[in-house]
Amino acid sequence: MTFREAAARTILVVILLGLPIGILGYRYVLQPFLSPETTFEVQAYAPESGGFSPAVIQVEAGKEVTLRFTSMDVTHGVAIGPGLDAAIDHIDPGEQGEITLTFDKPGTYTYYCTTWCSADHWRMRGIIEVRDPVNPDLLPQVQSDPVIEGLLEEGIDIDADHEGEALAIAPSAARGGDLIESVIVPDEVRQVDWQRTHSPAEALTILQTQNASYSDAELRDVIAYLWMLNTTSTVDTIQTYNQNCAACHGESGNGAGPAAYLTADVPAVFDDPGYMFSMRADVLYAKIRRGGMGTDMPNFGTLFTREETWALVDYLWLLAFEPTLNE
């Protein structure tokens, strides 16, 4: 073999071996490093079979990522929160759905199932840890909630039972609107901050002292109007309620959702105006965000923003004080 033949064979071997190595290296090492998008494959099983796999994903802030969900058994829905407005309504068995987004800031987010898939549906959650590429070991701590902290300082038992007074006539915000100009209502009772820290029953006590010529039923109508006046609930809020609350509490708030019989405690009945008249908005807010001890009520504080939670609370008043929704 001449030198020239040996050199040619060596070059050929280098090409035959080096080309595949180069392709594989680019595909699995260099391309993911250089690419602005990273795709995560997530398998979705019913909670009894493992839930989401993987259950924890780590991404970098400022980097576009795609989460591709595959339903492995039953139909699932997926949303990512809080405050991202990222969702897939339905993923049927064997099908895929994906969400592409960029997390602007480091923090912790939750991907969760939004379609009732089993008795433990609410347990179907996964975590996205969004890290600062400059300080990847530093993950922002969850901030305390001033509303919940305020209730604790006030000595309010968030888990206390509230039965309320049975009302012969359901309050009507519509009727209250016809009376609002003729009834004396102190300015503080009109304020959102006051309404969020006091029950409608407390407002009734105040209005009774200044409006002796009106019946309690009429004053309850006025209070229903006031509680509805500053509502922040929207069509999206209704969807959020139906996806996350209706399974136990019922779409109309009657406490008779398809999973109500599975809970350790009877679900709250939001279309019962007597019960709702005894409730404070900040307590409802705290129950949603923190969950209910011993009741199977899960926490939603990792799924919804504080504003979304207040909108949900406002929707509960609407279920109680707007009878047309309950028909």
Side-chain angles (χ1 to χ4, degrees), residues 10 17 56 74 149 153 171 230 237 245-246 276 288 294 314:
T10 300
L17 293 178
V56 179
V74 298
E149 293 295 323
E153 291 178 4
N230 299 306
T237 309
C245 313
M276 291 298 286
I288 294 171
D314 288 343

Side-chain angles (χ1 to χ4, degrees), residues 9-62:
R9 289 185 179 184
T10 300
I11 293 173
L12 180 60
V13 170
V14 170
I15 292 174
L16 291 176
L17 293 178
L19 186 60
I21 292 174
I23 293 174
L24 292 174
Y26 175 78
R27 172 68 178 83
Y28 293 105
V29 179
L30 189 60
Q31 187 180 41
F33 179 76
L34 295 176
S35 175
E37 177 177 322
T38 301
T39 300
F40 295 88
E41 301 286 349
V42 182
Q43 296 179 330
Y45 298 88
E48 294 80 357
S49 299
F52 287 115
S53 178
V56 179
I57 293 173
Q58 294 182 348
V59 304
E60 289 183 0

Side-chain angles (χ1 to χ4, degrees), residues 10 48 76 120 202 280:
T10 300
E48 294 80 357
H76 297 282
D120 289 326
E202 292 175 276
R280 287 172 43 156

